[in-house]
Amino acid sequence: DAGITQSPRHKVTETGTPVTLRCHQTENHRYMYWYRQDPGHGLRLIHYSYGVKDTDKGEVSDGYSVSRSKTEDFLLTLESATSSQTSVYFCAISDGTSNSNQPQHFGDGTRLSIL
Amino acid sequence: SQQGEEDPQALSIQEGENATMNCSYKTSINNLQWYRQNSGRGLVHLILIRSNEREKHSGRLRVTLDTSKKSSSLLITASRAADTASYFCATVGNTPLVFGKGTRLSVIA
């Protein structure tokens, strides 16, 4: 299995609080991604990174920010969590010179509940 | 959006039977990928087929791609109980992977 660690694995928090999820990789892959998975929607891309300090928005980026200060770490922050952000969040990584022609490797997810 | 749409949404078969899942998409792609997700786990990459390929095999998996119909199929032969999972297609064009909503496969022993 690809060396991807997501933390925490589970979190329950209240509306309005800030939340940060961490993705750590040991593969030295260039690309890192954050997705959310919800019933009826499949996986949707939130943000992705193509290098240190290089990030771009995905399909559902509103309400989320990301940072990548080191190759191995990609952080996802909910500045002020809302109940609509209750979801399972997955981090993924991929290698290569393009984000399009390599498979992605996924972590096991963070289950986030916002009450 | 070039989101893939899997069909059927759910499929239940007996062990030993073949399972076929279909994926349709909307716009031109560079490649199409299939992933499996076991309950409570992350997605696992199964196979990638490029837009200039028509068929690809990997073990008990066979993937076809018809770019003229904007569709792909995943065939799992001689299914096993361990194949029980959700299967997703994902398309790649000018943006990173865009996933469909998945097919839930149940293989009954």
Side-chain angles (χ1 to χ4, degrees), chain A residues 1 9 33 35 37 40-43 45 48 90 99-108, chain B residues 3 30-31 33 35 37 40-43 45 48 50 88 92-93 95-97 99-101:
Chain A
D1 289 346
R9 293 295 314 280
Y33 309 83
Y35 293 90
Q37 185 175 34
H41 290 279
L43 271 82
L45 181 65
Y48 69 101
F90 287 97
N99 65 27
S100 66
N101 61 0
Q102 297 293 329
Q104 293 186 11
H105 306 282
F106 284 76
D108 279 336
Chain B
Q3 182 182 44
N30 292 329
N31 66 70
Q33 303 178 26
Y35 288 78
Q37 184 181 33
R41 302 298 301 274
L43 278 71
H45 179 261
L48 180 154
R50 292 183 168 79
F88 296 86
V92 179
T95 58
L97 286 181
F99 286 85
K101 298 176 183 178

Side-chain angles (χ1 to χ4, degrees), chain B residues 4-5 23-29 32 65-72 91:
Chain B
E5 197 75 30
C23 171
S24 60
Y25 57 92
K26 299 175 183 176
T27 62
S28 298
I29 61 172
L32 185 145
L65 178 64
D66 187 336
T67 53
S68 67
K69 295 181 179 178
K70 293 186 170 58
S71 66
S72 174
T91 54

Side-chain angles (χ1 to χ4, degrees), chain B residues 66-104:
Chain B
D66 187 336
T67 53
S68 67
K69 295 181 179 178
K70 293 186 170 58
S71 66
S72 174
S73 68
L74 171 66
L75 169 68
I76 304 173
T77 59
S79 63
R80 307 165 180 167
D83 294 328
T84 293
S86 292
Y87 292 82
F88 296 86
C89 69
T91 54
V92 179
N94 295 325
T95 58
L97 286 181
V98 180
F99 286 85
K101 298 176 183 178
T103 292
R104 174 68 188 171

Side-chain angles (χ1 to χ4, degrees), chain B residues 7-66:
Chain B
D7 171 63
Q9 292 184 6
L11 179 61
S12 183
I13 60 174
Q14 297 289 326
E15 203 167 32
E17 294 180 339
N18 295 341
T20 299
M21 288 159 270
N22 301 297
C23 171
S24 60
Y25 57 92
K26 299 175 183 176
T27 62
S28 298
I29 61 172
N30 292 329
N31 66 70
L32 185 145
Q33 303 178 26
W34 285 91
Y35 288 78
R36 184 188 73 221
Q37 184 181 33
N38 291 90
S39 181
R41 302 298 301 274
L43 278 71
V44 175
H45 179 261
L46 295 176
I47 199 164
L48 180 154
I49 186 165
R50 292 183 168 79
S51 60
N52 61 352
E53 297 176 310
R54 292 296 167 259
E55 187 171 313
K56 206 162 183 180
H57 296 256
S58 177
R60 294 184 296 112
L61 306 180
R62 172 178 170 255
V63 169
T64 62
L65 178 64
D66 187 336

Side-chain angles (χ1 to χ4, degrees), chain A residues 55 60 67 69-70 75 77 86 95 98:
Chain A
T55 65
V60 290
S67 65
S69 59
K70 298 184 290 185
L75 304 180
T77 297
T86 292
D95 206 0
S98 163

